[in-house]
Amino acid sequence: MIDLFSQAALIIFILVTLLWVWSVFIKNVSIVDIFWGFGFVVVNAFYVFMSGELHARKIVILTLVTVWGLRLAIYLAYRNIGKGEDFRYQEFRRSYGPKRYWWFSFFQVFLLQGALIMVVSLPLLGISSGQSSGALNVLDYIGISVWLVGFAFEAGGDFQLARFKRNLKNKGKVLNTGFWKYTRHPNYFGDAMVWWAYAILSIAAGSYWLIIGSIVMTYLIIKISGVSLLERTLKETKPQYSDYIQKTNAFFPWFPKK
């Protein structure tokens, strides 16, 4: 297991380094966001094919992670390419100075994201290297069900938001229909559910402590780079958002308050 993790970490290190070199030439750190989902596809495929015999659970996790990761990468590419560097990275570039941010970004953004991919992917390692039989059991089917719910919220929420933003009449308005009627962040909720589905599959494989990756991912989504960060921005840029907060749950879906 340790050898698999170390080898996968080396692959990710090489990939983020190449990505960083590319970002220096195009002066756009945002390309790292597109790599996030794809990085998990690469790591998971390595775990699946390098951990021994291919069995039912490995086929399931290979399918689920590939669909989730490629969908996310394609969506972020569609959303970001041609739009310039994300405001977060522009702020970092101003704070640290353009002349030194090119090398500072390697550690602050690319190497950090590579390390997070490795930590968060621990349940995927647990699924492929678990000691239990590869035959599917009740926990596997529960995990698959949780994944389906999570993927529907994440992909559905992203689709609804993209469609909402395409309509210029909605500029400055708040999306409060569809999945967004029941939670202010259906895509983040769905993402968390996807990773808890992987945690359940890891437990089904007999790997318990590796679900720490799903715990870390949930913490990142809620407290660091997801809900908390976006809430602060939306409160400042959309006056209607305060009313939306009063009526709609922040994370877990529930019926809106009257």
Side-chain angles (χ1 to χ4, degrees), residues 227-241:
V227 173
S228 180
L229 178 64
L230 189 56
E231 288 275 296
R232 290 196 299 270
T233 303
L234 291 172
K235 286 176 184 177
E236 295 174 359
T237 58
K238 295 189 176 184
Q240 300 175 1
Y241 201 74

Side-chain angles (χ1 to χ4, degrees), residues 22-224:
W22 185 21
S23 78
V24 172
F25 279 105
I26 66 174
K27 294 183 173 59
N28 189 341
V29 176
S30 296
I31 58 174
V32 75
D33 295 336
I34 300 171
F35 178 73
W36 178 250
F38 182 72
F40 289 108
V41 174
V42 171
V43 169
N44 183 64
F46 181 81
Y47 289 153
V48 167
F49 292 112
M50 299 302 292
S51 58
E53 181 182 355
L54 192 65
H55 51 61
R57 186 176 294 113
K58 286 186 180 181
I59 294 173
V60 167
I61 196 59
L62 182 65
T63 303
L64 298 185
V65 174
T66 301
V67 170
W68 171 83
L70 292 184
R71 197 287 312 177
L72 181 60
I74 292 169
Y75 170 72
L76 291 177
Y78 164 78
R79 192 185 71 177
N80 295 347
I81 291 177
K83 305 292 176 60
E85 191 172 52
D86 186 272
F87 74 94
R88 296 168 297 169
Y89 305 122
Q90 289 181 16
E91 184 61 33
F92 289 140
R93 195 179 291 278
R94 283 192 293 268
S95 298
Y96 295 106
K99 291 184 179 180
R100 65 171 179 161
Y101 190 63
W102 70 271
W103 63 264
F104 192 81
S105 65
F106 175 69
F107 300 96
Q108 184 214 26
V109 179
F110 292 89
L111 200 58
L112 175 61
Q113 184 166 118
L116 287 174
I117 287 174
M118 294 311 303
V119 172
V120 172
S121 70
L122 285 174
L124 307 181
L125 173 62
I127 294 166
S128 287
S129 60
Q131 299 301 311
S132 72
S133 165
L136 301 182
N137 56 43
V138 174
L139 276 178
D140 290 296
Y141 291 110
I142 293 174
I144 293 169
S145 300
V146 171
W147 186 92
L148 289 171
V149 171
F151 188 77
F153 269 86
E154 184 177 7
D158 283 341
F159 172 77
Q160 290 169 354
L161 182 61
R163 183 177 58 185
F164 181 80
K165 287 183 174 181
R166 279 199 302 268
N167 188 341
L168 298 180
K169 294 181 180 179
N170 293 325
K171 186 174 178 62
K173 295 182 179 179
V174 175
L175 173 59
N176 59 2
T177 58
F179 289 110
W180 301 83
K181 179 179 180 179
Y182 305 100
T183 165
R184 302 201 297 270
H185 302 281
N187 44 359
Y188 289 139
F189 167 76
D191 199 7
M193 289 302 96
V194 163
W195 281 95
W196 278 103
Y198 300 151
I200 294 170
L201 290 166
S202 181
I203 293 172
S207 301
Y208 300 96
W209 71 270
L210 293 178
I211 69 168
I212 191 173
S214 299
I215 297 173
V216 170
M217 183 64 158
T218 305
Y219 181 78
L220 291 173
I221 289 171
I222 297 176
K223 295 295 186 180
I224 305 297

Side-chain angles (χ1 to χ4, degrees), residues 2-23:
I2 295 177
D3 286 343
L4 273 179
F5 183 84
S6 301
Q7 292 165 14
L10 178 59
I11 292 172
I12 289 298
F13 175 76
I14 293 171
L15 290 176
V16 296
T17 300
L18 292 174
L19 201 63
W20 167 69
V21 171
W22 185 21
S23 78

